């Protein structure tokens, strides 16, 4: 199929045309496009299944050559491009090592055409960000536990291997047939962003803790970094409002607690746990996912069982 006839390329200049075959995958649609990657809907021709196919494409300084191949536009961006490419591949390799219902499942990854690709399970549904943006969603404490307990469990598994997500936010959690799944780690974007643009344009205000705004190595990131972001997600689900960004809370913290915003609609344990997870200063913040879950009073195993029981009921 020519570029001119592709409905994708009519509005998305960097996207491959429908009908393009990459390895064993035929592109049949577009899932989404960001500044550093494109996710296509593709058919696995060898196994006859539909997958999500992610392509590394930092559109700010790379483009399409000969219709398929990707290359940087200027030589001085080559080192940054290669660093991002390595990070993309490392992310794919990392995700492929783990099997958890709360983590995106990677089937295969490879390099080709000057870039790299990741074939993943296609999750049909909407992200928490999409759900929240409609303004009509209501989450009580039980609903929040049902959505987020499997995510806590997945992160606890990763943290045991000293792997930290560092990009948790409502747009990185999708509800696929009611099942919450934590999406990609955004590692390629993080490396490229650190070297080409202001941190504030890369980080997600409200979910990024103060240590992610410091790029001189004086503030270490770790499990507590993901704890802050999780606290931000719970805060948004509970209050319907995105939390104030960390840098605005340094001197006189204007952030109200969950119960201050909701007139005590949640348990004291929930409100206090979210507040402690979102402490600006590291020494006052909960240090691990386990501590956060225990302070919330969640039985994550039971919550996951209930979720799986519901999946069986609807025949998933």
């Amino acid at each position: 199929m020519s570029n001119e006839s592709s409905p994708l390329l009519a509005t998305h200049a960097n996207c491959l045309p429908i009908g393009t075959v990459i390895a064993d995958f035929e592109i049949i649609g577009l899932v989404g496009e960001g500044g550093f990657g494109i996710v296509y809907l593709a058919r696995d021709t060898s196994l006859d299944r539909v997958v999500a196919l992610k392509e590394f494409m930092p559109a700010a300084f790379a483009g399409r050559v000969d219709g398929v191949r990707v290359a940087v536009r200027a030589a001085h961006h080559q080192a940054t491009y290669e660093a991002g490419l390595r990070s993309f591949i490392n992310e794919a390799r990392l995700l492929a090592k783990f099997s958890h219902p709360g983590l995106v499942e990677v089937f295969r990854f490879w390099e080709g055409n000057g870039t790299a690709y990741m074939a993943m399970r296609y999750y049909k549904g909407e992200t928490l960000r999409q759900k929240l943006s409609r303004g009509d969603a209501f989450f009580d404490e039980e609903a929040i536990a049902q959505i987020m307990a499997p995510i806590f469990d997945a992160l606890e598994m990763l943290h045991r291997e000293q792997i930290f997500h560092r990009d948790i936010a409502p747009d990185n959690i999708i509800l696929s047939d009611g099942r919450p799944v934590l999406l990609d780690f955004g590692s390629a974007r993080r490396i490229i962003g650190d070297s080409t643009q202001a941190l504030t344009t890369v980080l997600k205000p409200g979910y990024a803790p103060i240590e992610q705004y410091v790029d001189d190595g004086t503030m270490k990131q770790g499990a507590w970094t993901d704890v802050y972001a999780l606290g931000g997600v719970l805060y948004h689900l509970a209050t319907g409002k995105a939390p104030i960004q960390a840098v605005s809370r340094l001197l006189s913290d204007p952030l109200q607690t969950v119960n201050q915003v909701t007139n005590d609609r949640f348990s004291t344990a929930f409100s206090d746990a979210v507040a402690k997870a979102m402490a600006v200063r590291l020494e006052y913040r909960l240090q691990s996912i386990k501590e956060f879950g225990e302070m919330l009073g969640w039985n994550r195993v039971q919550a996951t069982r209930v979720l799986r029981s519901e999946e069986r009921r609807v025949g998933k």
Side-chain angles (χ1 to χ4, degrees), residues 17 104 118 185 230 232 261:
V104 62
M118 193 187 312
F185 285 33
L230 278 176
V261 176

Side-chain angles (χ1 to χ4, degrees), residues 176-215:
S176 179
D177 295 322
R179 187 181 83 176
V181 180
L182 184 61
L183 299 178
D184 63 55
F185 285 33
S187 54
R189 184 192 63 190
R190 206 165 47 243
I191 284 181
I192 291 176
D194 288 351
S195 57
T196 63
Q197 58 185 306
L199 279 169
T200 50
T201 65
V202 175
L203 300 176
K204 294 185 177 127
Y207 310 99
I210 197 66
E211 61 266 26
Q212 289 190 293
Y213 288 86
V214 179
D215 59 357

Side-chain angles (χ1 to χ4, degrees), residues 2 22 24 69 77 131 191 201 218 237 254 290 295 302:
S2 70
I22 302 293
D24 296 323
R69 200 161 56 86
H77 286 313
K131 201 171 183 68
I191 284 181
T201 65
T218 58
L237 290 172
K290 184 178 180 181
M295 191 170 177
Q302 180 60 31

Side-chain angles (χ1 to χ4, degrees), residues 9-294:
L9 286 178
T11 53
H12 300 271
N14 287 313
C15 294
L16 291 166
I18 286 175
T20 301
V21 176
I22 302 293
D24 296 323
F25 302 91
E26 178 187 359
I27 292 172
I28 59 176
L30 176 67
V31 176
E33 181 180 13
F36 298 92
I38 302 171
V39 181
Y40 305 98
L41 195 64
R43 187 175 67 87
D44 184 337
T45 57
S46 62
L47 296 176
D48 192 25
R49 63 181 175 183
V50 173
V51 303
L53 180 65
K54 185 177 181 180
E55 178 186 40
F56 176 64
M57 167 61 89
F61 49 84
R64 203 68 71 181
V65 182
D66 300 329
V68 175
R69 200 161 56 86
V70 176
V72 294
R73 298 192 187 94
H76 66 275
H77 286 313
Q78 188 65 41
T80 303
Y81 180 87
E82 289 176 0
L85 183 63
R86 286 194 303 273
S87 187
F88 180 96
I89 293 165
N90 287 340
E91 178 186 334
R93 183 177 289 113
L94 180 153
L95 287 170
K97 281 174 55 179
F98 294 98
S99 178
H100 190 285
L103 282 180
V104 62
E105 183 177 1
V106 173
F107 298 132
R108 178 182 169 189
F109 61 93
W110 70 98
E111 291 185 71
N113 302 315
T115 185
Y117 306 90
M118 193 187 312
M120 306 173 289
R121 181 177 298 280
Y122 173 56
Y123 297 98
K124 189 175 181 180
E126 62 179 352
T127 65
L128 284 185
R129 180 181 179 182
Q130 291 169 324
K131 201 171 183 68
L132 285 162
S133 67
R134 293 203 308 269
D136 59 356
F138 175 84
F139 301 94
D140 60 17
E141 200 164 327
E142 183 179 352
I144 292 172
Q146 287 292 319
I147 292 170
M148 295 302 297
I151 303 298
F152 272 53
D153 192 62
L155 284 166
E156 205 171 325
M157 177 189 70
L158 292 174
H159 287 185
R160 283 195 293 269
E161 301 295 324
Q162 294 299 298
I163 296 164
F164 311 110
H165 192 285
R166 296 186 289 187
D167 194 28
I168 300 163
D171 61 345
N172 250 342
I173 298 170
I174 192 169
L175 296 175
S176 179
D177 295 322
R179 187 181 83 176
V181 180
L182 184 61
L183 299 178
D184 63 55
F185 285 33
S187 54
R189 184 192 63 190
R190 206 165 47 243
I191 284 181
I192 291 176
D194 288 351
S195 57
T196 63
Q197 58 185 306
L199 279 169
T200 50
T201 65
V202 175
L203 300 176
K204 294 185 177 127
Y207 310 99
I210 197 66
E211 61 266 26
Q212 289 190 293
Y213 288 86
V214 179
D215 59 357
D216 61 3
T218 58
M219 294 187 74
K220 189 178 179 183
Q221 297 183 36
W224 50 90
T225 304
D226 284 347
V227 166
Y228 186 99
L230 278 176
V233 174
L234 264 62
Y235 186 96
H236 198 164
L237 290 172
T239 66
K241 301 175 182 179
I244 301 164
Q245 61 180 336
V247 290
S248 300
R249 302 177 55 207
L250 277 172
L251 298 177
S252 176
D253 190 355
L255 185 70
Q256 293 183 302
T257 68
V258 166
N259 274 346
Q260 284 174 327
V261 176
T262 64
N263 293 318
D264 296 321
R265 203 174 73 228
F266 289 80
S267 69
T268 301
F270 181 93
S271 184
D272 288 350
V274 171
K276 198 163 184 183
M278 295 189 69
V280 178
R281 294 177 61 173
L282 271 62
E283 61 266 33
Y284 299 140
R285 194 185 309 162
L286 293 169
Q287 295 294 294
S288 71
I289 303 294
K290 184 178 180 181
E291 283 183 356
F292 193 6
E294 287 175 349

